[in-house]
Amino acid sequence: MDDSDEALMARVARGDERAFRTLGSRHVPAMLGVARRILGNAADAEDVAQEAMLRVWTFAPRWQPLAQFRTWLTRVVVNLCIDRKRRAPWVALEAAGEIVDPALGPGDKAESDERERLVQTAIGELPARQRVAILLTYGDGMSNAQVAEILDTSVSAVETLLVRGKQNLRRALDSVIDKDG
Amino acid sequence: MNKDQFEKFLDAALKRHTRPTPTDDAAVERVLKRIESPLPRQKQPLWRLPNVLLDWQFAPAWSRVAALACCAAIGFVIGIAGVDRRFDGADARLTVASSADLGAIVFEPEALTGARP
């Protein structure tokens, strides 16, 4: 039996709950990760992943395989996250700033921690679409074309989002340059 | 930190901070549990109904032949009974056949003079 996402979606469109569960177990982990990195909040990420999967079920009969299922689902998740971000402020991930070089001394470590915290905060304060573009490009290694498809925009618009996002980050992290250089 | 170092630091920091986090199995389980039955009703595409109507099958099958026979019988009965004729049209034709004074039936007498148009 064809077990591709598209074949499973065709079965879901006919009301096959088993195919829906297979799709869920295949994609929920990644979608949770995307939502968590955009929202910075695990509980909200779970809500978004649930909502996205319910939309998959509800709209399966209307789904057209114009894009890859994974791309479409990521778009749904990203849009739900952006909607949610409009309503709620960003909360930093508690795990941020843990990745430091163990060879550093206590003073260096504190400074490194501070920089990591600043970067994390700066990413969190970016406008939603800039943050999503940066997350998908740097975090998931997606091409600009893939990001453009997810954000429903052009490749050049994605490039602009990335450039502006990095400009904003440079501006927010000016203190890092000034302090040391 | 000079600007070149900063650019390298920024790229590395972006990769570190945006990379996928390890999967939280408990969270995945919770989400999968929340999307179990009963699931909401699916939204059917708007173009499905015309497709059904246009999906004509001419191959003989007892159900289609029976449906066709029923349609024919109903059409015959309607034709014989004259249910499809308009009542006012039927009245007018009846009047023409039975009486020359068609205006007496069709028009009201004038209120003041009592004259018929």
Side-chain angles (χ1 to χ4, degrees), chain B residues 18-100:
Chain B
T18 59
R19 72 183 170 190
T21 46
T23 308
D24 180 357
D25 292 335
V28 173
E29 278 303 312
R30 277 195 297 275
V31 173
L32 290 177
K33 199 157 188 133
R34 277 150 65 177
I35 56 173
E36 281 177 359
S37 300
L39 290 163
R41 206 162 65 88
Q42 291 184 309
K43 290 191 190 298
Q44 297 302 323
L46 299 173
W47 57 87
R48 176 162 286 187
L49 186 61
N51 274 357
V52 167
L53 293 176
L54 292 171
D55 186 20
W56 290 97
Q57 296 283 334
F58 293 104
W62 74 266
S63 53
R64 282 191 285 276
V65 171
L68 186 64
C70 281
C71 288
I74 290 169
F76 182 75
V77 169
I78 288 172
I80 289 294
V83 178
D84 56 326
R85 268 186 231 149
R86 290 174 56 192
F87 289 107
D88 54 347
D91 282 353
R93 237 173 287 150
L94 190 69
T95 308
V96 168
S98 61
S99 166

Side-chain angles (χ1 to χ4, degrees), chain A residues 5 19 22 24 30 34 44 46 49 70-71 94-95 103-104 115 123 135 144 152 161 167 172:
Chain A
D5 289 342
T22 308
V34 170
D44 282 353
E46 284 181 31
R70 179 66 170 264
T71 307
E94 288 164 7
L104 294 174
R115 265 189 223 152
I123 293 172
L135 285 172
N144 288 357
D152 199 18
L161 284 173
Q167 275 174 355

